Amino acid sequence: MIQWTNAVIGTKKDKNIWDYPKLSNILLKINTKLNGTNAVLKVHDVIERFFSHGHRVMYVGADLSHAPPSARSQPSVVAVVASADDVPSRYFKEVYQQHRPESARNESREYIVDMKAIMKSLIQQYEQHRGYPPNAIVMYRDGISESEFDTVFEKELTAIREACVELSPVYRPYLTYIVVNKRHHTRFFPTNSDKNVQAGTVVDSHDITNPTTYDFYLNSHHGALGTSRPTHYHVLYDDNKLRPDEVQMLTYALCY
């Protein structure tokens, strides 16, 4: 609640002028809460169909946050968000606590146990909001190491498929499952400058990436200080049959 003590007109330097950046930030938040859209991306023709009106693609982001090693009894926190509109600028969310029972102590901690229930809820919310379920789902999954790709991916993909079948026996949306990883030691530097590589730089050469898997590096944002750390993306499953340039440009666009 805004009180007289914190509703101050002006800036620290001059109390007689309006703090326009602060007012702009507040108005953007108010506009979002009133179902407004603050910004719309102008994308390349290659991925224009992913942002066109009525495209029926649901973008999903999932991560699992663990308690510190000294607090093993505390549960992990699962957070999954899914896009709700065409832009996308609005999202649905599901937040769960995940306990690790003694019977599963030898299993990977990165497997989201309630993935089926989470995806059922997100798809149902999408259908209630738009009047129809998504035809395609593109999931970005954070926090999986390469040694856990097979076990975690297979369990979560199966859970997503089971969620769709429980909603309707004939419901089979196309799925793309991409793992996002920033825990690596790969860095890129331009040959003609001592600054960071430009935002949007993609490296998918087999001289650097894994020649047996579908992966690439993307430096999505400009780094003014320090050395930029590119994000490593692994496309583990692609039912949508996206071309490499579509995956890379779509990933870059969703960063904004």
Side-chain angles (χ1 to χ4, degrees):
M1 183 178 68
I2 298 178
Q3 300 177 355
W4 180 258
T5 54
N6 58 20
V8 180
I9 298 175
T11 63
K12 292 182 179 179
K13 293 183 179 180
D14 190 344
K15 299 297 183 182
N16 296 319
I17 63 174
W18 289 97
D19 190 347
Y20 288 105
K22 182 182 292 185
L23 291 174
S24 176
N25 189 24
I26 294 174
L27 291 174
L28 288 173
K29 289 180 170 60
I30 294 174
N31 183 52
T32 302
K33 293 180 182 297
L34 295 176
N35 295 329
T37 301
N38 289 334
V40 177
L41 280 175
K42 183 179 180 181
V43 298
H44 194 276
D45 294 342
V46 173
I47 58 172
E48 187 176 3
R49 67 185 180 95
F50 296 102
F51 298 94
S52 60
H53 178 68
H55 57 66
R56 299 185 67 170
V57 180
M58 186 172 76
Y59 304 106
V60 180
D63 194 11
L64 186 60
S65 179
H66 302 295
S70 59
R72 285 179 172 266
S73 60
Q74 294 185 8
S76 301
V77 178
V78 177
V80 184
V81 296
S83 61
D85 56 1
D86 295 327
V87 176
S89 64
R90 304 190 65 80
Y91 294 84
F92 306 117
K93 67 180 183 302
E94 292 290 332
V95 180
Y96 278 56
Q97 285 188 343
Q98 179 167 307
H99 297 271
R100 192 183 186 192
E102 288 296 325
S103 60
R105 63 180 182 274
N106 294 325
E107 295 184 8
S108 170
R109 295 187 66 191
E110 283 300 330
Y111 166 51
I112 298 179
V113 177
D114 296 311
M115 179 61 81
K116 182 168 69 172
I118 291 172
M119 290 305 299
K120 280 183 65 176
S121 175
L122 292 174
I123 294 172
Q124 288 174 331
Q125 291 180 70
Y126 184 100
E127 184 175 10
Q128 291 173 1
H129 180 71
R130 306 194 63 175
Y132 46 78
N135 285 339
I137 298 173
V138 179
M139 170 172 280
Y140 289 87
R141 178 67 162 86
D142 190 17
I144 305 178
S145 63
E146 293 190 29
S147 62
E148 298 173 319
F149 279 179
D150 292 338
T151 56
V152 174
F153 158 67
E154 290 178 2
K155 290 180 180 179
E156 293 186 352
L157 183 65
T158 301
I160 296 172
R161 288 298 190 191
E162 290 176 352
C164 296
V165 171
E166 288 189 7
L167 289 172
S168 173
V170 296
Y171 182 47
R172 298 287 192 279
Y174 298 107
L175 294 175
T176 299
Y177 189 101
I178 304 173
V179 173
V180 184
N181 186 11
K182 295 202 73 173
R183 297 179 181 177
H184 58 79
H185 301 288
T186 304
R187 303 291 185 274
F188 299 119
F189 303 93
T191 58
N192 57 353
S193 173
D194 57 354
K195 299 181 180 179
N196 283 308
V197 294
Q198 294 183 356
T201 300
V202 174
V203 178
D204 57 2
S205 170
H206 288 325
D207 294 333
I208 298 175
T209 60
N210 192 326
T212 61
T213 61
Y214 183 5
D215 64 318
F216 62 94
Y217 290 90
L218 168 64
N219 187 61
S220 55
H221 293 86
H222 171 68
L225 298 173
T227 303
S228 296
R229 178 186 297 179
T231 306
H232 195 186
Y233 295 90
H234 295 264
V235 183
L236 300 187
Y237 186 84
D238 185 21
D239 220 9
N240 290 292
K241 298 181 180 180
L242 303 178
R243 300 191 307 272
D245 58 339
E246 289 181 323
V247 175
Q248 294 163 6
M249 297 182 71
L250 175 61
T251 300
Y252 180 50
L254 290 175
C255 291
Y256 294 88

